[in-house]
Amino acid sequence: MAKKNAKITEAKVDIRYANSTVEAQTELPENTSAAVLSEMNPHGADESRNVVKLTADYSAVETDTDKKYAKGIVHIKNRFRMPEKQLFKFAEYHAQDAEKTGYSNYSYWKSVWANFIKKKVAVFMAFVFIALVVFTFIAPLISIYDANTVRIDHPNRETRFLSPNSHFWFGTDSLGCDYWCQVWSATRTSIILSVSVSLGQIIVGVIIGLLWGYVRKLDRFFTELYNFIDNIPTIIYMTLIALMIGKSTLIMAIAMIAFYWLGTARNIRNLVFMYRDREYNLASRCLGTGLWRILTKNIFPYLISVIVLRLALSIPGIIAYETTLSYLGLLDISTPSLGILLRDARSNFLEYPYLLIFPAAIVSLITVTFYLVGNAFSDACDPRNHV
């Protein structure tokens, strides 16, 4: 008898309620004997389905409402005896809790900042760049000498190609000018130039890219314009502008903006294709929403991370391009920049390596800084990374 009871307890029972009849689906061992089945199914069973019909006895009602049942145990005979107080729990309505359920304190820029500050290296490099920019304005004030004046009052009367010392912290150049002031003045000029050109080409490129990708009638025009400008090397355009109009920093900055927008516009145009015909944009057009509202509200937010990344990476690219223009003599040398210092150092850096080390170190620092900060901020701007 003990063996029979053990076999009975091994059967897995799944209770299913249907009106007043309770079906118990059993999974019995293959070697279960007929005697065991007869004890398990006193009311008769459908052997083909192994379903046992159990009739609920509603006359037996549990009166103890505080009675506790062990977890994980299926009470075949006691479940229907449980009072309504234990079977159901009525939900209470609270107006304040309902408002909290439907309220979200999500803020896009707060989430961007929260994700950005998690990248410790990027935050550190951002502070390094801010300190670098601030120091470009402070350095001339704490310097003993002037950046552009040739000093002849040095005790030795000869100030050309002096190595870094207590009087000339970065040494002197071929004219005897203080290299400390020149480096920081050139850094300030290069940062202002690169940031201005990058912002300008990003603004122009994003506007043209949005129109290029969304307005189908303009696609042919901008495609032909892109092919016409892009098939000719940019350095040829810059050379013609420098020879025909001038080599001033302002003219060359405007010229760089005029040709640098091509890559940004092309990238934005390809991204707009992904979002142009989505359902919410089709619904906006059907409702009569204006073109600029669709571009700025429906499409532009999806492009922020890409725009930030291109902006961050274009700043060191502009500095490198400005260095190339200075090396080729297409930029006015009256205003010192990092490119001009690197160009002047190319003929003397073997004998006087400090002329190349200081400006090259600053250019490398700016490049690495914007690469790390740009990638981290771009990832933080992506809504898919927000929790």
Side-chain angles (χ1 to χ4, degrees), residues 207-224 269 272-279 281-283 285-286 291 294-295 299:
I207 294 175
I208 294 178
L210 289 172
L211 294 174
W212 187 0
Y214 191 82
V215 182
R216 291 178 172 85
K217 295 180 180 179
L218 298 177
D219 183 68
R220 180 66 180 273
F221 170 75
F222 282 118
T223 301
E224 296 298 333
R269 176 246 190 189
V272 170
F273 280 164
M274 299 171 56
Y275 307 105
R276 181 179 62 187
D277 295 327
R278 291 193 175 182
E279 290 80 1
N281 286 323
L282 297 176
R285 288 202 295 269
C286 293
L291 172 63
I294 292 177
L295 294 178
I299 298 178

Side-chain angles (χ1 to χ4, degrees), residues 13 15 69-76 78-79 82:
V13 183
I15 304 301
Y69 293 91
K71 294 183 179 180
I73 299 177
V74 180
H75 299 277
I76 300 175
N78 293 331
R79 182 70 67 183
M82 295 176 65

Side-chain angles (χ1 to χ4, degrees), residues 193-335:
L193 175 65
S194 60
V195 171
S196 302
V197 173
S198 298
L199 287 175
Q201 66 93 8
I202 283 292
I203 293 173
V204 175
V206 169
I207 294 175
I208 294 178
L210 289 172
L211 294 174
W212 187 0
Y214 191 82
V215 182
R216 291 178 172 85
K217 295 180 180 179
L218 298 177
D219 183 68
R220 180 66 180 273
F221 170 75
F222 282 118
T223 301
E224 296 298 333
L225 179 62
Y226 175 86
N227 293 331
F228 174 76
I229 299 176
D230 189 62
N231 288 331
I232 300 176
T234 308
I235 196 66
I236 296 178
Y237 294 115
M238 302 301 292
T239 303
L240 293 176
I241 292 173
L243 296 177
M244 297 175 61
I245 301 177
K247 302 180 181 179
S248 66
T249 304
L250 179 60
I251 293 175
M252 300 309 289
I254 295 175
M256 283 189 281
I257 293 174
F259 298 106
Y260 247 73
W261 62 268
L262 292 173
T264 301
R266 182 78 177 185
N267 191 9
I268 296 299
R269 176 246 190 189
N270 295 336
L271 293 174
V272 170
F273 280 164
M274 299 171 56
Y275 307 105
R276 181 179 62 187
D277 295 327
R278 291 193 175 182
E279 290 80 1
Y280 53 86
N281 286 323
L282 297 176
S284 297
R285 288 202 295 269
C286 293
L287 294 173
T289 306
L291 172 63
W292 287 109
R293 184 171 181 82
I294 292 177
L295 294 178
T296 56
K297 299 295 183 180
N298 292 7
I299 298 178
F300 180 75
Y302 289 95
L303 310 177
I304 292 178
S305 60
V306 177
I307 293 171
V308 170
L309 182 60
R310 290 195 66 91
L311 176 62
L313 297 182
S314 65
I315 290 177
I318 294 294
I319 294 178
Y321 194 69
E322 177 256 331
T323 304
T324 303
L325 295 177
S326 301
Y327 184 84
L328 297 175
L330 300 179
L331 198 64
D332 185 14
I333 63 174
S334 61
T335 303

Side-chain angles (χ1 to χ4, degrees), residues 129-140 142 169 180 184 188:
F129 177 74
I130 294 174
L132 181 67
V133 174
V134 173
F135 194 74
T136 58
F137 293 93
I138 299 176
I142 64 176
W169 298 333
W180 164 274
W184 293 114
R188 181 172 64 252

Side-chain angles (χ1 to χ4, degrees), residues 145 150-163 165 167-168 171-177 352 354:
Y145 302 104
V150 178
R151 291 294 178 182
I152 60 174
D153 56 352
H154 193 266
N156 294 331
R157 299 293 182 180
E158 180 59 46
T159 60
R160 297 175 64 252
F161 294 122
L162 289 178
S163 299
N165 51 62
H167 294 281
F168 300 101
T172 59
D173 60 3
S174 59
L175 299 177
C177 297
Y352 310 101
Y354 65 89

